Every structure is written in structure tokens, then in C-alpha cells.
Amino acid sequence: MALETPGLHHVTAIAGDPQRNADFYVGTLGLRFVKKTVNHDDTGTYHCYFGDEEGTPGTNLTFFPWTEGGRQGEFGSGQTQATAYLIRPDSVEYWLERLESSGIDVERDERFDEILLRFSDPDGIELELIASSDAESAATPWEDGPVPVDHQLLGFHSVTLAVAEFGPTETILTDVLGYDLEAETDDRRRYRSGPGGPGSVVDLVETDAGRGRMGVGTVHHVAFVATDVEEQQRWREAYAGQGLSPSEVIDRKYFQSIYTREPGGVLFEMATTGPGFTADEDLEELGSKLVLPDRLESKRDRIESQLPPLEGPTADSSGD
Ligand code: ZN
């Protein structure tokens, strides 16, 4: 049977100051700070996860905040141009007002008959809120969040990936990940996976900007849902069949992951749906303290002393 991902699992980006990052995603966008840990591959850097109340796959934007001297990224091919969350059509005015009153420049636009709001986070990462009339949500509302439940973000709508040419990335989307071309305009192709719904869309745009450079203000990788580790082995074979070199399965504690650089230059991850963020914290406590993988627990004092201060979650917007 052909493999097919239901869609996006999480998106991971590089931020600058971690406090400013958390204040924006929690205080302004109303996502819950569901996990505060460190980059398992670089323990001097936080890894912060923001999502719905439970950190459901398909709702989580995660960040490596590179403080002090973290090099700025440069936009170009092989990068995620925009990450889009789904909102209800009657939330458009709410969000326009909320963002503008926080001093954020918001552009209102329309794409494939859907209204969207476009703006950047404090580090320049481009975000979109897209209103869809079939906005069926995969997200669990965060009852204690700063955004009224009716207007909260409903998980991902899509990502837009910028590539030098459609062809090579399109082949991976359709022949490996199970996406179908659904619509296109002069400069954009839209692909949808599986039965549709939140997070099932990937858009490709072509850019002649040259290869982008990863750094602060850019997305590090895009993760798609894989059911389990057995399925991941089949994804590995499928990627290898395209001449790519997927990683081994890596234990990320909250999910298992494999990574592949697709030919357009974007780093793709396949992440399992479980065990999820309650693997090491109770649901009520998610994100309330720094958690470390077991192998790093004995080094906690040193790790904590090397990290900048980060209070969180912050429930009210600082307005800057
Ligand atoms: Zn990831």
C-alpha cells in the first residue's frame, strides 16, 4: 500500500531572544507553552514548543532560540517561506484587531478563495492566519489562554515552501509523501494529502533568490506525521528509493523522528504521533519547568547555568 502522511506534525524555526519569542507566541498568538527543554543536539540552546492545550501533532511551532551572536538567516530557496495557522472565518476581524493593537503590521490578502492575514513574528519569521469555511479543528482549546476559545488558532493550515523549481520537490511530495496537486496559479502550486483537514496542505512557490541560509528568523525544518516506527522504516525506504539519504530513527522523547533533506533543499522530518508531551509532565503542568532527557538530568545544574533566563508561560501580551 502506498504511503500517505495525513499532513504536518510540527514546524521548527530559529528564534533570537527566547523571552521575546515566548511572549509573542503565548501572549499574542495565544498558543500554549507546552514544553520547555533543550536542543538534544546542543544543550546550550532551549527548545521551546508552542501548541494547543495538549501539544497535539499538527498544532506545534517549536523554536531553537539562538541568543547572543546567533547568526541571522537569509531567505532563499530551500526554505519555508510562510507557516500558516487555520482560523475560523468569523475570527478574521478579531485577529486583525488583536495583531494591530499589538503594533504588528498585518496585510490582508486572499488566496485560493480564502482570506488570509500575513505578518511576521519578532524575528522576521513569516506567519499567516488563513480563514477556512471548513475549519474543522484538530486542536484542543487552551481554556486558560489569553485568546477566547472561539478565536484560538485551530492548528496548521499549511506551509509554503520556496524552491528553485517545482519539479524535484513536487516529486517527493507526490511520490513519497502521498500529496496530490490540488490547484495552481502562475506562481504557486497547492498540494493536499489524505482526507484533507487541518495541516494537510503544502504550497510550493518558485524563487530565484538563490539558496537560503539557515539562521535566526528562518524555519529549520518541517515535520510530517508518521503513524509509528514501523511506518517510519517504510518512509526511509521510500526516500532511499528517490536517491535520498534519510537518517536513522532518532528518539526525540515526545516522538520518534527521521530526517531527510529533500532535493529542493528543505529539511523534512517524519515524526510519530506518540508518545506526546505528557511523556514527562502532567497535562496541567506542561511547559511550566525545564525538562531534560534522562541522559542529561545529571548535568542539569551546568545546563541551567548556561541558559538565559526564560519565564514562561507569559499569558499577557507585552504589546511591543
Ligand atoms: Zn522536528
Side-chain angles (χ1 to χ4, degrees), residues 275-287:
F277 294 109
T278 51
D280 57 4
E281 283 180 302
D282 291 339
L283 182 60
E284 309 79 65
E285 316 253 280
L286 289 183

Side-chain angles (χ1 to χ4, degrees), residues 95-313:
W95 278 104
L96 196 57
E97 208 167 291
R98 183 178 179 87
L99 295 168
E100 284 179 340
S101 72
S102 296
I104 296 162
D105 282 335
V106 190
E107 200 183 325
R108 186 183 174 127
D109 203 350
E110 211 175 306
R111 180 189 298 145
F112 298 119
D113 298 324
E114 292 173 332
I115 293 168
L116 68 93
L117 301 178
R118 182 187 299 120
F119 54 99
S120 297
D121 86 351
D123 292 300
I125 292 167
E126 198 167 299
L127 300 170
E128 294 170 343
L129 303 184
I130 301 183
S132 181
S133 50
D134 59 349
E136 217 179 290
S137 179
T140 306
W142 180 26
E143 301 285 347
D144 298 331
V147 173
V149 164
D150 284 349
H151 293 306
Q152 288 183 11
L153 308 188
L154 304 173
F156 292 125
H157 175 282
S158 56
V159 287
T160 297
L161 309 178
V163 292
E165 46 178 343
F166 290 125
T169 304
E170 177 173 85
T171 299
I172 299 303
L173 288 175
T174 57
D175 294 6
V176 177
L177 294 171
Y179 281 79
D180 293 311
L181 180 64
E182 180 182 81
E184 61 185 306
T185 58
D186 288 347
D187 57 356
R188 179 177 292 263
R189 290 187 186 177
R190 169 156 294 186
Y191 305 84
R192 194 179 291 273
S193 77
S200 61
V201 171
V202 173
D203 283 0
L204 295 184
V205 293
E206 285 185 331
T207 178
D208 50 14
R211 192 54 80 99
R213 191 177 73 162
M214 208 255 298
V216 174
T218 65
V219 169
H220 185 271
H221 62 265
V222 172
F224 300 91
V225 172
T227 309
D228 51 32
V229 176
E230 287 75 54
E231 196 185 86
Q232 274 177 325
Q233 295 299 351
R234 296 176 60 208
W235 292 114
R236 293 189 72 242
E237 287 161 24
Y239 278 125
Q242 297 286 337
L244 301 176
S245 307
S247 73
E248 296 295 322
V249 176
I250 298 171
D251 182 4
R252 293 304 188 193
K253 192 162 189 177
Y254 312 111
F255 38 83
Q256 312 278 328
S257 298
I258 64 169
Y259 301 86
T260 313
R261 179 89 46 196
E262 59 84 28
V266 184
L267 185 60
F268 279 0
E269 175 181 348
M270 308 300 302
T272 56
T273 45
F277 294 109
T278 51
D280 57 4
E281 283 180 302
D282 291 339
L283 182 60
E284 309 79 65
E285 316 253 280
L286 289 183
S288 60
K289 60 180 194 306
L290 181 74
V291 289
L292 298 172
D294 295 340
R295 68 184 167 83
L296 294 175
E297 201 51 64
S298 62
K299 298 173 185 153
R300 174 176 283 272
D301 287 349
R302 188 167 59 81
I303 289 170
E304 284 186 344
S305 72
Q306 289 168 345
L307 290 166
L310 172 55
E311 298 294 325

